[in-house]
Amino acid sequence: MSSKPSRSAWPALPPRRTLAFRLSAAYSLAGLLLVILATASLYIVLRTELDRSTELFLADKLHVLRTMLRERPDDEDALREEIELESQARRYQQFYIRLLDEHGVPIMTTPGMTEQLDLAELVGRTSSRSERSIAMAGRHGQPFRITGATVAVGTPATHSDTVQIAIDVSQEEELLARYRLWFWGILLVTSILFPLVGYRIARHGIRPVEEIAATARRITSTNLRERIASQGYPLELESLAGTFNEMLGRLEESFERISRFTADIAHDLRTPVNNIRGEAEVALARSRTVDEYRDVLESSLEESVRLSELIGDLLFLARAESPLTELHRESVNIGELLTTVRDYYEASATDAAISLVVNDGTERFNAQLDRSLMLRAVSNLVSNAIAHTPPGGTVTLAATNEDAAIRIEVFDTGVGIPAEALPRVFDRFFRVDPSRSKSSGGTGLGLAIVQSILTLHGGSAEITSHLGRGTRVMLRMPAPAIATR
Amino acid sequence: MKILVIEDEVKTAKFLKRGLSEAGYVIDVAADGLEGLHLAQEVDFDLVILDVMLPVLDGWQVLARLRETEQKALVLMLTARDAVHERVRGFELGADDYLVKPFAFSELLARVRSLLRRSTPRPQDAIRMADLEIDLLRHRATRAGQKLELTSKEFTLLTLLARRAGEVLSRTLIAESVWDMNFDSDTNVVDVNVRRLRSKVDDPFPVKLIHTVRGAGYVFEAEP
């Protein structure tokens, strides 16, 4: 039906798979269907109208003759004029009339009727069905509509005659034939035109899509900065391009974060390795005392421990992101968990002159969670809180049992975190104050680990902070808590 | 006590052999799984230290075949992967203990000792070291007759050190045993706690009992 586009937008794909092809095929099919429907219905209307006018003409003639034979059966002149001359006067629409008496003997016949029509056939055909027009072919193959009727003669009727009328409908047939020719012509033209025009339109509409695809193909990790210029696109495609650009933005951001992360890892690994290497090289450059050797060995052991911890944390983060990681949930008493953490850090807090308390309001309830992971998360928070709270301050641990969710909070009266740093505190290796963590020995992964632990539990970690007033971290997780007596 | 070390990494095998020999064990080393399996089947070892990543036969295969035979040797697995399912798999196949690389040698030694300890230590009522006396029943510690004012956690920590006198205890092990912090926690917290314990147990007295082993942990012993 529709022609295949010769140029395919994506040479790798068969043309049937392209959107332009599908669209133009759909346009063409729809257009052609409409054209066929319109022309065919016009044709049918025309045909019925022509048939009806023929029928009316025949009925009309019959009516005239019937009236004449009933009212003035002896007015032969009038009859003759009606039967023999009326038809003669016409040029295009030829009709023929025969009048037969009750014995079937012709009384009057329109001249030329015998050579146009096989009269025997005419009699045979009209005898059975009176007053209905039927199609019949003439002697020269021309189409006729014929009808016959029995007509009462005189008032009151003395006897009845038979009237037979035949009308040559070749004019109408020719008109219809011309119409049909037009019809096929229109169909041929539109079936060529529609696919071409449709394809042009579709291609034009799809061009932005191709531009988006081309941009996507161009983009690699090295030029994630590139964006699609979507000015002048239709609304739907503009939104597609916009969405695509947003995705690129997110990718770029993740990519930068990973790059930074990798650089940070390299840097954080480099320092201890550099220390081990340098100290060992210097130690071996000349002979040393036993104590000096011991010092180097101890130092390298310290650095190795640092490395081990860092690697452990990195592995933990990597594993937490794997979908295969499974939690070992058990029933854990939240109050006891917080107390465990408090006991562990109590000495550190006392040293720093900070009071570390578990909130009185903390309910004693059990929840299904991974104890050692949650212990780790809360410990990281407490460790941070103690590190950033000046002497005389307080670090508080609290837990609340909400409906179908539990909330663990750690808040301090410490130095707080500047607002601009707040969104990034959960990032790996992010340090609010890069200089201080080195000395406190943190890997800069503490909060990232907290977040991944909460993610594993299907929960979230949120942080709020006011400079100089303190920081509050909230751990929320959906865990049906089981109240304990 | 005979120990078989199956480890393909030369340096690791070397320091294990040396460290364990110095701790008083007899050590054999095999560099691949198959060799290790043959050795273990020929000689009666008390303990097999088995690396998971091995050439020829990996640690899992060696473990499975060992458990098929009559070998009663205890097995301590070493692995670079600490995924939980690995650990579970190890225990399912009949490993007796499991250690993740990188590990502290003191940690390994502690595990080897506890595995090879023939009998469980008989419950003690008291531990004495120099002039320190720990009364385990009454939860009291005295030094040179003076009562030491210890918090319950400090008492637990002191008891742990004293029970395993002479062993280097890593910070991780201490955090786990005393505070139930079973992960690589913020270990400088252990340092703070030990320092506070020292201020009560050692500082006022001439003989020091708690010693720092730099980079490794703490050891409890009376100075010679």
Side-chain angles (χ1 to χ4, degrees):
Chain A
M1 211 46 185
S2 61
S3 65
K4 278 189 183 178
S6 53
R7 287 179 306 121
S8 164
W10 295 274
L13 291 172
R16 266 182 317 109
R17 295 278 313 280
T18 67
L19 183 59
F21 175 83
R22 289 179 189 187
L23 280 175
S24 47
Y27 292 154
S28 320
L29 275 175
L32 279 172
L33 273 174
L34 276 173
V35 169
I36 289 169
L37 210 68
T39 46
S41 58
L42 280 173
Y43 178 78
I44 289 164
V45 167
L46 183 65
R47 169 144 223 149
T48 36
E49 283 305 310
L50 288 173
D51 282 355
R52 224 164 66 93
S53 73
T54 305
E55 293 283 337
L56 284 173
F57 180 84
L58 287 174
D60 206 30
K61 276 281 163 236
L62 205 56
H63 181 73
V64 169
L65 289 170
R66 204 187 283 272
T67 312
M68 285 170 79
L69 287 171
R70 195 177 59 230
E71 305 295 330
R72 295 173 292 155
D74 306 329
D75 191 349
E76 282 209 10
D77 284 349
L79 266 176
R80 192 168 301 282
E81 174 159 344
E82 189 63 40
I83 293 171
E84 293 178 2
L85 299 177
E86 177 82 16
S87 167
Q88 289 284 298
R90 291 181 177 243
R91 240 188 100 176
Y92 292 115
Q93 199 157 39
Q94 294 290 333
F95 62 91
Y96 305 92
I97 306 175
R98 227 160 53 121
L99 185 63
L100 302 104
D101 65 11
E102 67 250 64
H103 309 295
V105 180
I107 304 168
M108 275 184 215
T109 307
T110 309
M113 187 166 179
T114 43
E115 63 193 52
Q116 293 290 347
L117 286 153
D118 179 350
L119 295 175
E121 191 187 346
L122 179 79
V123 172
R125 287 212 169 188
T126 51
S127 62
S128 59
R129 294 155 49 197
S130 64
E131 299 199 27
R132 291 285 309 279
S133 81
I134 25 187
M136 176 181 154
R139 283 186 193 279
H140 310 299
Q142 68 276 54
F144 278 92
R145 304 288 293 189
I146 54 171
T147 185
T150 313
V151 182
V153 181
T155 335
T158 51
H159 62 275
S160 55
D161 289 353
T162 304
V163 176
Q164 294 170 339
I165 308 174
I167 179 164
D168 183 344
V169 290
S170 31
Q171 288 294 331
E172 285 88 341
E173 289 298 337
E174 275 168 33
L175 174 63
L176 287 172
R178 274 200 304 281
Y179 188 96
R180 281 196 299 270
L181 198 65
W182 266 107
F183 173 67
W184 289 117
I186 287 171
L187 216 58
L188 187 71
V189 171
T190 49
S191 66
I192 293 166
L193 212 59
F194 276 163
L196 290 179
V197 171
Y199 188 65
R200 285 291 304 268
I201 294 171
R203 291 284 301 172
H204 183 76
I206 286 165
R207 187 165 309 130
V209 178
E210 285 176 24
E211 282 168 13
I212 293 173
T215 311
R217 268 198 295 277
R218 265 203 311 280
I219 286 172
T220 62
S221 56
T222 48
N223 60 347
L224 277 170
R225 296 207 167 287
E226 190 162 339
R227 294 288 180 273
I228 296 159
S230 58
Q231 289 82 29
Y233 280 7
L235 210 54
E236 301 89 333
L237 292 176
E238 199 177 339
S239 105
L240 173 67
T243 311
F244 195 83
N245 283 342
E246 283 163 23
M247 182 187 81
L248 284 175
R250 286 194 300 274
L251 279 177
E252 191 184 1
E253 196 184 319
S254 317
F255 212 87
E256 269 174 16
R257 193 179 299 158
I258 291 171
S259 302
R260 259 204 317 273
F261 182 46
T262 314
D264 286 337
I265 290 177
H267 180 266
D268 278 60
L269 291 175
R270 184 182 288 151
T271 313
V273 171
N274 205 41
N275 290 347
I276 294 171
R277 185 176 173 171
E279 285 178 344
E281 280 175 0
V282 171
L284 292 170
R286 59 172 64 168
S287 55
R288 313 268 173 197
T289 65
V290 171
D291 279 350
E292 283 169 329
Y293 283 129
R294 174 181 292 277
D295 185 61
V296 170
L297 284 174
E298 285 171 342
S299 163
S300 85
L301 185 51
E302 278 172 350
E303 294 299 332
S304 306
V305 170
R306 251 177 80 184
L307 273 175
S308 299
E309 282 172 4
L310 182 62
I311 290 166
D313 284 355
L314 289 173
L315 280 176
F316 177 85
L317 283 170
R319 263 207 323 278
E321 279 173 10
S322 136
L324 298 171
T325 308
E326 43 188 58
L327 289 179
H328 289 265
R329 287 184 188 262
E330 52 188 319
S331 182
V332 176
N333 185 309
I334 303 294
E336 274 172 26
L337 185 121
L338 297 190
T339 309
T340 302
V341 178
R342 201 237 3 243
D343 289 348
Y344 186 53
Y345 281 95
E346 202 165 24
S348 304
T350 311
D351 263 22
I354 297 164
S355 52
L356 175 63
V357 293
V358 174
N359 211 340
D360 293 339
T362 295
E363 303 163 51
R364 311 291 278 191
F365 57 89
N366 283 20
Q368 290 287 327
L369 39 86
D370 188 315
R371 183 176 183 278
S372 64
L373 289 189
M374 200 47 66
L375 210 52
R376 185 173 190 165
V378 178
S379 294
N380 285 356
L381 297 181
V382 172
S383 168
N384 278 348
I386 290 175
H388 296 98
T389 301
T394 310
V395 174
T396 313
L397 293 98
T400 333
N401 179 6
E402 297 170 343
D403 292 339
I406 57 172
R407 200 172 74 203
I408 295 176
E409 284 172 280
V410 175
F411 48 97
D412 60 49
T413 57
V415 294
I417 298 164
E420 63 273 12
L422 219 44
R424 294 194 50 210
V425 290
F426 288 108
D427 287 4
R428 296 157 182 190
F429 290 117
F430 180 77
R431 296 176 171 117
V432 175
D433 178 4
S435 57
R436 58 153 296 123
S437 301
K438 280 280 183 285
S439 56
S440 69
T443 55
L445 297 172
L447 281 177
I449 285 173
V450 169
Q451 195 172 42
S452 56
I453 288 172
L454 267 292
T455 308
L456 279 175
H457 279 84
S460 63
E462 292 157 41
I463 188 162
T464 51
S465 184
H466 295 287
L467 266 184
R469 287 180 32 210
T471 304
R472 171 185 295 255
V473 182
M474 236 186 302
L475 309 180
R476 262 207 186 82
M477 67 215 90
I482 309 134
T484 52
R485 275 159 291 156
Chain B
M1 288 284 180
K2 286 174 73 72
I3 298 178
L4 171 63
V5 174
I6 309 178
E7 167 64 76
D8 59 319
E9 167 59 40
V10 178
K11 281 193 174 183
T12 310
K14 195 171 157 188
F15 86 72
L16 284 176
K17 184 177 166 81
R18 188 180 217 155
L20 290 167
S21 301
E22 284 172 4
Y25 298 102
V26 180
I27 310 296
D28 264 339
V29 178
D32 70 58
L34 197 61
E35 186 195 339
L37 186 64
H38 288 325
L39 258 174
Q41 284 164 344
E42 285 164 20
V43 186
D44 277 343
F45 288 99
D46 298 287
L47 173 71
V48 178
I49 295 179
L50 177 58
D51 189 27
V52 172
M53 301 286 281
L54 285 173
V56 194
L57 286 180
D58 70 25
W60 303 122
Q61 292 167 309
V62 173
L63 179 61
R65 297 230 202 142
L66 263 184
R67 289 299 175 233
E68 284 168 11
T69 62
E70 290 297 293
Q71 274 297 330
K72 293 282 181 291
L74 297 163
V75 175
L76 169 63
M77 302 289 287
L78 300 182
T79 174
R81 298 202 194 122
D82 61 339
V84 174
H85 63 88
E86 286 250 320
R87 204 175 293 231
V88 170
R89 186 180 172 190
F91 288 127
E92 277 176 356
L93 283 169
D96 298 281
D97 206 348
Y98 189 99
L99 207 53
V100 180
K101 291 178 181 180
F103 52 82
F105 183 76
S106 59
E107 185 77 16
L108 176 92
L109 199 55
R111 303 238 185 170
V112 168
R113 281 187 177 138
S114 68
L115 281 173
L116 293 176
R117 205 167 277 148
R118 289 283 163 158
S119 56
T120 47
R122 58 190 174 80
Q124 294 166 284
D125 294 344
I127 302 170
R128 286 183 189 80
M129 172 75 72
D131 55 347
L132 173 77
E133 190 170 333
I134 306 173
D135 183 342
L136 294 169
L137 293 175
R138 294 207 195 83
H139 273 259
R140 276 189 359 181
T142 54
R143 190 147 189 203
Q146 299 173 34
K147 184 169 182 291
L148 301 174
E149 295 298 334
L150 302 177
T151 65
S152 75
K153 290 291 174 193
E154 282 166 351
F155 184 83
T156 311
L157 173 58
L158 179 62
T159 309
L160 173 76
L161 289 163
R163 272 188 199 280
R164 299 176 67 169
E167 280 182 48
V168 179
L169 303 182
S170 70
R171 290 170 178 77
T172 308
L173 184 121
I174 293 171
E176 204 172 312
S177 313
V178 179
W179 290 276
D180 202 11
M181 299 299 265
N182 53 348
F183 60 93
D184 292 341
S185 54
D186 192 353
T187 44
N188 58 12
V189 174
V190 175
D191 297 340
V192 173
N193 279 288
V194 172
R195 196 167 63 239
R196 295 179 69 84
L197 180 66
R198 264 190 184 143
S199 70
K200 294 174 181 179
V201 176
D202 274 351
D203 291 1
F205 305 98
V207 179
K208 308 301 176 205
L209 297 173
I210 303 168
H211 305 277
T212 308
V213 180
R214 211 178 132 196
Y218 296 96
V219 66
F220 188 85
E221 56 195 3
E223 278 172 329

